[in-house]
Amino acid sequence: ARLAEQSERYDDMVEFMRRVATLKSDLTLEERNLFSIAYKNSLGTRRAAWRVLWAMDAREPQRTGPYMDCINLYRAKVIKEMKTICSEMLKIIEEDLLPLASTTESRVFYWKLKGDYLRYTAEFHQADAHTAAAESAHDAYKTASEIALNHLTATHPVRLGLALNFSVFYYETINAPDKACQLAKAAFDEAIGQLETLGEEQYKDSAMILQLLRDNLTLWTQGVQGAAVGEESKAADAR
């Protein structure tokens, strides 16, 4: 899996980590990170493609003919691939990972991951399907947050990553900018004063996420149009 990551062959990496994740044992920290990185990057290229195709369609809503037929067919192909990846990830979380999670950190990680992939699912669905996926994502993030707030420190990278992605969910998925800013600011303010007490490794991870929280708050409070930055934008080896 490491070799596939270094070669940027993320679909291969997904195959390797799928085998590891379905061995019916709790994943180690390294295995969790590799599992997340594999699916994140495999899906990420398709999300980027879907956004390009969506933008092309939106720019010329009245255009018809072979050109638009090609866009629509290709977009349908990309959506089908995204559905497959998200469904597979959610199935593994539900059936293989959450039931065997042996630590608070791993439980929060998996509930957060479930929220992420339900959020991605909501992105490419409309109407009732979008609403259902968004509500399920909210429930997963809320469950993860309840565990994290009670059992993980404010500076813990998993808790901070959860706050980051949950706030992005509020901002982008359900159009609740006030809640997004409130959540991101609370997580940032609580953690920033404790940052200097951390060891070098955790300091780097936590500081990176805090910077992303700050970037999003700046973007949102200034009313600048643009995509918020989720934890998935971090360097591939960030914990």
Side-chain angles (χ1 to χ4, degrees), residues 153-157 160 190-204 206-207 210:
T153 64
T155 54
H156 197 293
L160 286 173
E190 189 172 359
I192 193 66
Q194 304 175 34
L195 201 58
E196 297 300 328
T197 66
L198 302 179
E200 181 179 357
E201 186 65 25
Q202 188 173 339
Y203 178 92
K204 290 192 301 182
S206 298
L210 284 170

Side-chain angles (χ1 to χ4, degrees), residues 24-79:
K24 301 301 181 183
S25 62
D26 195 12
L27 301 182
T28 66
L29 174 61
E30 181 182 21
E31 289 168 346
R32 288 202 308 267
N33 288 325
L34 288 171
F35 177 71
S36 177
I37 288 166
Y39 278 87
K40 173 193 70 176
N41 284 284
S42 180
L43 182 66
T45 58
R46 292 163 172 90
R47 290 175 73 209
W50 176 78
R51 287 179 177 137
V52 169
L53 293 165
W54 182 88
M56 291 171 68
D57 188 17
R59 280 199 301 267
E60 302 180 85
Q62 306 303 320
R63 186 166 178 175
T64 59
Y67 175 77
M68 293 307 298
D69 290 342
C70 183
I71 289 177
N72 290 331
L73 285 170
Y74 203 57
R75 184 170 58 183
K77 179 180 186 296
V78 173
I79 288 174

Side-chain angles (χ1 to χ4, degrees), residues 141-229:
Y141 283 135
K142 185 177 179 181
T143 299
S145 296
E146 290 171 350
I147 301 170
L149 290 172
N150 286 319
H151 299 288
L152 297 181
T153 64
T155 54
H156 197 293
V158 173
R159 176 171 162 176
L160 286 173
L162 167 62
L164 176 66
N165 284 12
F166 199 1
S167 65
V168 170
F169 164 81
Y170 275 125
Y171 191 85
E172 293 190 340
T173 307
I174 62 172
N175 192 27
D178 290 344
K179 286 187 176 180
C181 290
Q182 182 182 20
L183 175 57
K185 187 177 187 305
F188 182 90
D189 289 346
E190 189 172 359
I192 193 66
Q194 304 175 34
L195 201 58
E196 297 300 328
T197 66
L198 302 179
E200 181 179 357
E201 186 65 25
Q202 188 173 339
Y203 178 92
K204 290 192 301 182
D205 293 342
S206 298
M208 183 184 300
I209 303 172
L210 284 170
Q211 183 60 54
L212 295 177
L213 283 165
R214 176 181 286 176
D215 290 345
N216 281 350
L217 282 167
T218 300
L219 178 72
W220 296 338
T221 55
Q222 291 180 350
V224 178
Q225 294 299 313
V229 182

Side-chain angles (χ1 to χ4, degrees), residues 91-116:
K91 183 174 184 290
I92 292 172
I93 293 171
E94 286 284 353
E95 297 182 2
D96 297 290
L97 299 180
L98 270 174
L100 295 171
S102 58
T103 66
T104 297
E105 180 179 322
S106 62
R107 288 197 300 275
V108 174
F109 185 90
Y110 297 140
W111 277 109
K112 171 195 161 293
L113 207 58
K114 181 177 180 179
D116 291 340

